[in-house]
């Protein structure tokens, strides 16, 4: 069975969508069959891959509810597939609040396509509500991107408690697959200090590859491209390629 991962952090601006997009492409470049799922009402992943969210008739919301098929929802980009999102997903917490098994909707939708993919990667919204619970119920591994500054670090303990609750109540197989340091600048004392704190707290969960601060990573989504397509020789492309190799080598037990 393929790997099921979500990238989650309730703090915005830590490189969550950038990581999903470029890890997905990196996995595809390594020969894996990849599905990306945009589970964020802001639809940043959908937009970053060059699609227009408000022009889509079928999105992850309809797919989760069983109102549309995978074939009618999935979009293709550079050899991988995307289940897109748009702003209608923001109604999920209210509309699904009375639905029985509401935390299992995404898992049930994913179960129908597991045999098609080696890697399914979910981009979560920057909130820890029903959508995040759906992601945490549907996957086996959580990847946590952290910007090496104190404010982004403060919210991680709350995120860890949410993951622990999901483990206890909804998904006993759930594990923290790794912590990704993003927007890293080794010349800054603050970044080095925060990384030392992260390493002390997470130990072997911290990936050795840090995603360096790189202008090309910020520019690529505005062109609807991943970093490997936009600037394959950039530090961003090198870092995400190295990170993908680590993820592929790392077994969650």
């Amino acid at each position: 069975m393929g790997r099921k991962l979500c990238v989650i952090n309730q703090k915005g601006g830590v490189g969550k969508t950038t990581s999903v997009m470029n890890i997905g492409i990196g996995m595809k470049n390594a020969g894996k069959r990849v599905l990306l799922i945009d589970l964020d009402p802001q639809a940043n992943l959908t937009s970053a891959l060059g699609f227009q969210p408000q022009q889509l008739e079928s999105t992850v919301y309809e797919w989760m509810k069983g109102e549309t098929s995978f074939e009618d929802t999935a979009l293709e980009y550079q050899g991988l597939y995307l289940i897109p999102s748009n702003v209608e997903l923001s109604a999920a917490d209210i509309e699904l609040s009375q639905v029985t098994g509401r935390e299992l909707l995404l898992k049930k939708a994913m179960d129908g396509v597991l045999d098609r993919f080696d890697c399914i990667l979910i981009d979560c919204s920057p909130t820890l509500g029903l959508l995040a619970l759906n992601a945490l119920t549907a996957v086996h591994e959580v990847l946590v991107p952290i910007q090496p500054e104190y404010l982004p670090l403060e919210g991680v303990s709350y995120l860890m408690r949410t993951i622990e609750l999901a483990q206890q109540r909804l998904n006993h197989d759930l594990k923290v697959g790794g912590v990704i340091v993003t927007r890293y600048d080794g010349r800054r004392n603050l970044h080095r200090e925060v990384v030392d704190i992260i390493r002390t707290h997470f130990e072997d969960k911290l990936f050795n590859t840090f995603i360096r601060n790189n202008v090309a990573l910020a520019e690529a989504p505005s062109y609807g491209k991943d970093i490997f397509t936009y600037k394959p020789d950039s530090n961003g492309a090198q870092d995400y390629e190295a990170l993908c190799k680590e993820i592929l080598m790392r077994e969650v037990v």
Side-chain angles (χ1 to χ4, degrees), residues 38 43-53 56 75 82-85:
D38 191 347
N44 289 331
L45 179 61
T46 301
S47 298
L49 294 177
F51 301 104
Q52 301 298 318
L56 300 172
L75 305 171
L82 166 72
I83 296 290
S85 177

Side-chain angles (χ1 to χ4, degrees), residues 33-47:
R33 301 170 299 166
V34 177
L35 171 65
L36 305 183
I37 298 177
D38 191 347
L39 204 62
D40 186 347
Q42 297 178 80
N44 289 331
L45 179 61
T46 301
S47 298

Side-chain angles (χ1 to χ4, degrees), residues 1-2 17 21 30 57 64 73 84 100 106 112 147 157 169 187 205 208 221 242 253:
M1 181 174 293
T17 297
M21 174 170 59
E57 295 183 3
M64 284 172 59
T73 308
T100 302
L106 180 61
Q147 189 176 351
S157 59
R169 301 179 182 180
R187 298 168 298 181
K205 296 296 184 183
N208 294 321
V253 295

Side-chain angles (χ1 to χ4, degrees), residues 1 4 35-39 59-74 83-84 89 96 100-117 120 122 131 134-135 137-139:
M1 181 174 293
K4 299 178 290 183
L35 171 65
L36 305 183
I37 298 177
D38 191 347
L39 204 62
T59 69
V60 66
Y61 195 31
E62 289 77 25
W63 185 58
M64 284 172 59
K65 295 189 292 182
E67 295 176 356
T68 186
S69 67
F70 175 83
E71 287 75 16
D72 290 337
T73 308
I83 296 290
L89 186 60
L96 301 178
T100 302
R102 56 190 176 274
E103 300 92 351
L104 299 170
L105 293 175
L106 180 61
K107 181 180 186 301
K108 290 179 179 177
M110 285 171 51
D111 283 346
V113 298
L114 289 180
D115 59 344
R116 305 188 193 187
F117 299 101
I120 299 178
I122 303 171
L131 293 175
N134 263 269
T137 303
V139 303

Side-chain angles (χ1 to χ4, degrees), residues 133-189:
L133 287 178
N134 263 269
L136 294 174
T137 303
V139 303
H140 288 148
E141 303 174 55
V142 179
L143 302 180
V144 181
I146 302 178
Q147 189 176 351
E149 297 182 359
Y150 285 112
L151 285 178
L153 188 61
E154 286 181 351
V156 173
S157 59
Y158 179 63
L159 173 61
M160 290 300 110
R161 288 198 298 272
T162 302
I163 293 172
E164 289 173 5
L165 285 174
Q167 288 172 325
Q168 295 167 9
R169 301 179 182 180
L170 298 168
N171 183 359
H172 299 308
D173 296 325
L174 185 64
K175 305 290 184 184
V176 175
V179 174
I180 306 167
V181 171
T182 61
R183 301 186 176 184
Y184 179 72
D185 186 343
R187 298 168 298 181
R188 298 185 60 184
N189 290 334

Side-chain angles (χ1 to χ4, degrees), residues 206-220:
L206 178 63
F207 285 108
N208 294 321
T209 302
F210 297 167
I211 306 302
R212 288 169 286 180
N213 208 4
N214 182 243
V215 173
L217 284 172
E219 292 175 343

